[in-house]
Amino acid sequence: MTMELDVFVGNTTIMDEEVYQLWLDGYTVNDAVKVRMDGGVMEECEASADVLLSDTMDQYRTFQMCERLLHSPSKLGNQLLFQIPPHRQAMLIERYYTFDDAFVREVLGKKLSKGTKKDLDDIGAKTGVTLKSCRRQFDNFKRVFKVVEELKGPLVENIRHHFLLSDKLARDYAAIVFFANNRFETGKRKLQYLTFQDFAFCAGQLISNWTVGAVGEPADHQRSFRFYMDVDLDKEFLQELKELKVLITDKDLLDQHKSLVCTALRGKTKAFNEMETNFKNLSRGLVNIAAKLTNTKDVRDFFIDLVEKFIEPCRSDRWTAADIRLYLTHYNNSAHILDTFKHQVVWDRYMGVVKSCIFKMYHD
């Protein structure tokens, strides 16, 4: 008896993006099958439950075999076991390294160590992210940190080059690495209203303006085995910030600064009386934050200090975001008119970041 069969042979690895996402999200095979069935895939493909289970298991095995390559994304394009088109490779890598904002918010600024990893059960329960997905995301953070830790050059570019990530995702990872390296406090109750993207924006400002890499090549004495650009804060700049204290310790200078700012603000905002009354306290708060940044603990408390010393007082007086922008613009600019103030360059470098961070952190 003769039988005719139509046979199709191909070597392109077939991967379903929906199944891949279910795998990344930590679903078991059976749970993934249920999600697919609820989504109507059986009707679309005219497949039985057994076929759907077999397909899901097969794809899960493929993803598990690919995972070791995803740990070093450049290997994915050089291996011969899986024939995956370039655009598919980019999708696999980008999604593998994508993370949940709720999860990263819980670990941001913490040491990427076994101690933190032990807390993943609790973090998963709090955020609704499966434990398997929490582990993948945490291990990705740790992997990126370890790779870039010993590299010189711009942090974002190093991450993008070594992990083949999009610019946006590379910048987000740069923020995570930067916060982990400097151990910024983000978990205090007063900071809970801030999102990961709020902190990521601030990290970008700090990296661009306060690190050694922000001012070009470091001096020989600043070089070390560790990376010197974009992650380590410029210690010489932090020392120079102490010079700004003259703005609050010199009474004549403080009074002159207040007079210039209030003259510029008068008639431009309903909050003028509060601005005039609180000027000296607000100025002392901002300048003292700067002067203390030579201490590691005060660097870690940078964001909580901004909230306590500036944002909370303004919020209690019902300043709008527009009021904040108006006040800080004139507060910054007026320092350039002070006759005896000689630290404008350091002042601008400091206030440029502080202004941007406060604008981002001040939610009406």
Side-chain angles (χ1 to χ4, degrees):
M1 182 177 179
T2 304
M3 294 183 65
E4 290 187 5
L5 296 173
D6 290 327
V7 178
F8 173 78
V9 178
N11 63 353
T12 300
T13 303
I14 298 173
M15 294 179 173
D16 186 295
E17 291 188 26
E18 180 192 5
V19 180
Y20 183 52
Q21 192 60 54
L22 292 170
W23 178 74
L24 290 175
D25 289 341
Y27 283 78
T28 64
V29 169
N30 288 335
D31 287 342
V33 168
K34 186 176 185 307
V35 171
R36 298 183 76 188
M37 289 175 68
D38 292 344
V41 70
M42 290 177 64
E43 291 75 13
E44 290 177 19
C45 303
E46 298 181 357
S48 67
D50 287 342
V51 169
L52 189 62
L53 175 63
S54 177
D55 175 68
T56 304
M57 289 177 65
D58 184 55
Q59 295 208 48
Y60 265 48
R61 280 192 293 268
T62 300
F63 300 144
Q64 287 161 1
M65 286 188 289
C66 282
E67 188 165 20
R68 62 182 179 81
L69 299 171
L70 291 166
H71 292 171
S72 300
S74 59
K75 292 181 179 179
L76 193 62
N78 298 324
Q79 54 80 40
L80 300 175
L81 182 60
F82 303 102
Q83 300 301 308
I84 307 172
H87 73 279
R88 279 287 196 185
Q89 292 180 27
M91 180 276 292
L92 291 174
I93 294 166
E94 189 80 1
R95 288 202 185 181
Y96 188 79
Y97 283 91
T98 295
F99 50 81
D100 293 283
D101 280 7
F103 172 75
V104 71
R105 182 64 184 83
E106 293 297 318
V107 300
L108 190 65
K110 293 182 179 179
K111 194 172 183 180
L112 300 176
S113 63
K114 291 181 180 178
T116 303
K117 194 168 185 178
K118 289 179 181 178
D119 297 331
L120 295 185
D121 272 319
D122 294 335
I123 294 172
K126 180 178 179 180
T127 60
V129 179
T130 65
L131 180 58
K132 184 177 179 182
S133 184
C134 285
R135 286 173 176 163
R136 171 183 60 82
Q137 295 177 55
F138 183 83
D139 288 344
N140 284 346
F141 300 158
K142 192 172 180 179
R143 185 179 307 110
V144 172
F145 185 94
K146 282 191 169 185
V147 168
V148 299
E149 186 178 19
E150 298 178 7
L151 295 174
K152 296 178 180 180
L155 180 59
V156 175
E157 185 55 39
N158 281 339
I159 293 172
R160 191 164 47 213
H161 174 73
H162 285 271
F163 291 92
L164 309 181
L165 304 181
S166 65
D167 183 72
K168 173 65 171 65
L169 191 54
R171 290 183 183 280
D172 284 346
Y173 267 92
I176 294 166
V177 169
F178 184 71
F179 269 72
N181 182 69
N182 292 286
R183 302 289 301 281
F184 287 107
E185 174 60 60
T186 67
K188 292 285 180 67
R189 182 178 59 81
K190 291 182 178 181
L191 298 175
Q192 288 304 305
Y193 76 98
L194 294 169
T195 66
F196 166 70
Q197 290 302 329
D198 290 333
F199 281 119
F201 172 84
C202 293
Q205 294 297 308
L206 289 158
I207 290 170
S208 297
N209 296 282
W210 287 8
T211 60
V212 178
V215 290
E217 285 289 305
D220 289 339
H221 68 277
Q222 291 174 312
R223 295 179 186 275
S224 67
F225 178 69
R226 297 180 72 250
F227 50 92
Y228 57 74
M229 290 179 75
D230 287 343
V231 176
D232 294 321
L233 294 171
D234 184 349
K235 289 183 171 58
E236 288 188 5
F237 166 65
L238 298 184
Q239 286 290 339
E240 290 171 344
L241 288 175
K242 289 183 176 181
E243 304 296 335
L244 302 182
K245 285 207 75 171
V246 68
L247 285 171
I248 57 174
T249 57
D250 185 320
K251 186 178 182 305
D252 290 339
L253 209 54
L254 179 59
D255 289 340
Q256 188 183 354
H257 194 190
K258 177 181 177 179
S259 176
L260 288 169
V261 173
C262 291
T263 298
L265 291 172
R266 187 172 281 108
K268 294 181 179 178
T269 171
K270 293 178 181 178
F272 174 76
N273 289 337
E274 290 79 7
M275 291 179 178
E276 185 177 36
T277 301
N278 294 328
F279 177 87
K280 291 184 179 180
N281 285 336
L282 293 175
S283 188
R284 288 189 185 104
L286 291 178
V287 173
N288 280 327
I289 290 172
K292 294 192 302 179
L293 286 176
T294 51
N295 301 317
T296 302
K297 182 185 182 305
D298 289 304
V299 169
R300 291 178 182 175
D301 288 342
F302 174 68
F303 294 101
I304 193 73
D305 284 342
L306 284 182
V307 169
E308 291 181 345
K309 303 290 174 57
F310 191 88
I311 291 174
E312 282 187 342
C314 296
R315 191 180 285 141
S316 68
D317 282 336
R318 301 183 183 280
W319 291 23
T320 64
D323 290 332
I324 291 287
R325 190 172 295 273
L326 181 68
Y327 178 86
L328 286 177
T329 298
H330 288 294
Y331 177 74
N332 179 43
N333 294 344
S334 295
H336 289 269
I337 311 172
L338 298 172
D339 295 334
T340 58
F341 184 60
K342 307 297 182 184
H343 309 288
Q344 278 87 357
V345 174
V346 175
W347 174 251
D348 282 346
R349 190 176 173 189
Y350 172 68
M351 281 303 300
V353 168
V354 167
K355 281 194 306 176
S356 295
C357 289
I358 291 176
F359 294 161
K360 190 68 175 177
M361 294 166 65
Y362 195 86
H363 298 178
D364 286 273

